[in-house]
Amino acid sequence: MEQNKYIPYSRTGDKEEDEILLEPFSYILQVPGKQIRAKLAHAFNYWLKIPQDKLRAVGDIIQLLHTSSLLTITAANYVIFIALERVLALNHSEGTQVYVEQLLELHRGQGMEIYWRDNYICPSETAYKQMTIRKTGGLFNLAVRLMQLFSDCKEDYTPLGGILGLYFQIRDDYCNLYLQEYAENKSYCEDLSEGKFSFPIIHAIQSHPEDRQLINILRQRTKDIEVKRYCVNLLEKFGSFAYTRAVLEELDKKARDEVQRLGGNPLLVEVLDELMSWKHQDVQPQSRKAVV
């Protein structure tokens, strides 16, 4: 039987059953993405210098876990255990411990994000950053820690992983609400439909606590394009996009300074340059130019 390239077949399962159980996974992977996590792993290997087969294996594990966070619970759990199966196949005594530690951190972060969303609680910026370092930074750190199991380099890259995780997530929050390219690849301002307390939303609510418009829009989980446009206009009016851009600039500088402190890494600098694409695009907020 010809294998579907989008299916992460279990080593012990039935292939036909896997194709049924993992159909949601296969569907998500067919949507084009930038594969930034794979690029980051490749960039870190400039320092760690592990064999290519181990690098590919770690990259596959990280891709599995990232995609699992977008799935329904049964499919997600199955993918998490397939990822664990692949960690065991790395054949290193510390692999499982690293995996469990980072998966716990990831779920602590993601769990708080879901708690805030479902209970309509706007977190502080500090709480948001802690959550993001656990969730997004935790996945980056899992990749690095697994790679280090096969490397002579034992440098502590946790601070850099945290900075990159923050930068990546806040950038994603900003792009989802502001940039035209996200409207073309995703539903228009989908974070509003999910009721998500993204970084610009948190700034707007915390800086204008007397104004209940944004929290009421999030409660609606709206798919109404005009309501979303109105929300984006509020974020612009409250200075939340400008504030988010300033934070992204600061995180970019912190990341570059940390890379330099660690001895320099041209591949990571290339990734950072690519992440800065949000800054160089001459686009209007989606409130003024939306694909619907």
Side-chain angles (χ1 to χ4, degrees):
M1 180 181 65
E2 183 179 353
Q3 292 192 356
N4 185 330
K5 67 177 181 178
Y6 296 111
I7 295 291
Y9 295 100
S10 167
R11 292 171 181 267
T12 57
D14 178 84
K15 295 294 189 295
E16 291 185 5
E17 278 191 355
D18 276 359
E19 292 189 2
I20 295 170
L21 297 171
L22 296 170
E23 186 174 348
F25 183 97
S26 174
Y27 174 78
I28 289 173
L29 277 199
Q30 291 178 58
V31 178
K34 295 185 182 298
Q35 301 295 320
I36 197 69
R37 291 164 186 83
K39 292 179 182 179
L40 278 173
H42 179 69
F44 269 99
N45 206 38
Y46 178 85
W47 285 322
L48 300 178
K49 304 185 188 321
I50 69 172
Q52 287 299 307
D53 62 327
K54 298 297 185 185
L55 179 61
R56 284 191 297 271
V58 171
D60 288 346
I61 289 165
I62 300 306
Q63 182 62 54
L64 284 169
L65 293 173
H66 168 65
T67 307
S68 76
S69 69
L70 308 175
L71 301 175
T72 58
I73 187 165
T74 300
N77 286 341
Y78 190 43
V79 171
I80 286 172
F81 280 103
I82 289 175
L84 175 58
E85 185 180 56
R86 296 192 179 191
V87 169
L88 293 171
L90 291 174
N91 199 25
H92 193 288
S93 60
E94 296 179 29
T96 304
Q97 180 179 345
V98 168
Y99 182 82
V100 169
E101 288 174 359
Q102 293 300 150
L103 261 289
L104 285 171
E105 278 294 274
L106 187 153
H107 281 82
R108 287 165 185 146
Q110 194 166 47
M112 288 307 300
E113 183 179 42
I114 293 170
Y115 171 76
W116 296 329
R117 182 196 70 194
D118 290 353
N119 291 279
Y120 312 107
I121 297 171
C122 181
S124 66
E125 184 176 321
T126 298
Y128 168 94
K129 288 180 176 178
Q130 181 187 38
M131 175 276 293
T132 300
I133 288 172
R134 284 177 151 181
K135 185 185 77 165
T136 310
L139 201 54
F140 291 163
N141 284 327
L142 173 60
V144 173
R145 290 184 65 191
L146 287 176
M147 291 169 67
Q148 283 187 309
L149 296 178
F150 306 97
S151 173
D152 293 330
C153 176
K154 303 303 179 186
E155 180 74 53
D156 182 9
Y157 294 110
T158 303
L160 179 57
I163 295 169
L164 290 172
L166 265 181
Y167 183 27
F168 189 79
Q169 187 60 63
I170 293 175
R171 178 189 183 277
D172 192 65
D173 289 353
Y174 172 81
C175 291
N176 187 276
L177 297 174
Y178 192 87
L179 288 192
Q180 183 70 14
E181 63 172 304
Y182 267 53
E184 294 169 353
N185 293 317
K186 301 184 178 184
S187 62
Y188 176 61
C189 295
E190 66 175 6
D191 283 354
L192 298 180
S193 299
E194 294 175 7
K196 178 181 176 181
F197 286 98
S198 66
F199 192 79
I201 293 284
I202 291 170
H203 172 267
I205 292 175
Q206 296 288 4
S207 61
H208 295 77
E210 75 289 348
D211 193 310
R212 301 289 298 173
Q213 293 181 89
L214 287 170
I215 192 73
N216 289 334
I217 289 172
L218 289 184
R219 283 177 178 271
Q220 294 176 36
R221 306 288 174 91
T222 185
K223 295 183 179 179
D224 187 297
I225 299 299
E226 293 307 317
V227 173
K228 291 182 178 183
R229 285 176 176 159
Y230 181 76
C231 182
V232 170
N233 278 325
L234 279 180
L235 293 171
E236 185 77 33
K237 174 184 173 182
F238 290 163
S240 299
F241 288 132
Y243 178 76
T244 303
R245 286 191 290 268
V247 171
L248 288 172
E249 293 266 16
E250 179 185 0
L251 287 169
D252 175 73
K253 184 179 186 307
K254 283 185 177 180
R256 292 175 192 271
D257 288 348
E258 183 67 4
V259 169
Q260 189 62 34
R261 186 190 71 80
L262 291 165
N265 185 323
L267 299 182
L268 262 179
V269 171
E270 286 181 14
V271 172
L272 290 170
D273 288 344
E274 181 178 338
L275 289 174
M276 284 294 284
S277 62
W278 63 268
K279 182 180 179 181
H280 305 299
Q281 295 185 33
D282 184 19
V283 297
Q284 297 296 318
Q286 291 187 37
S287 56
R288 301 173 192 164
K289 183 182 178 185
V291 173
V292 296

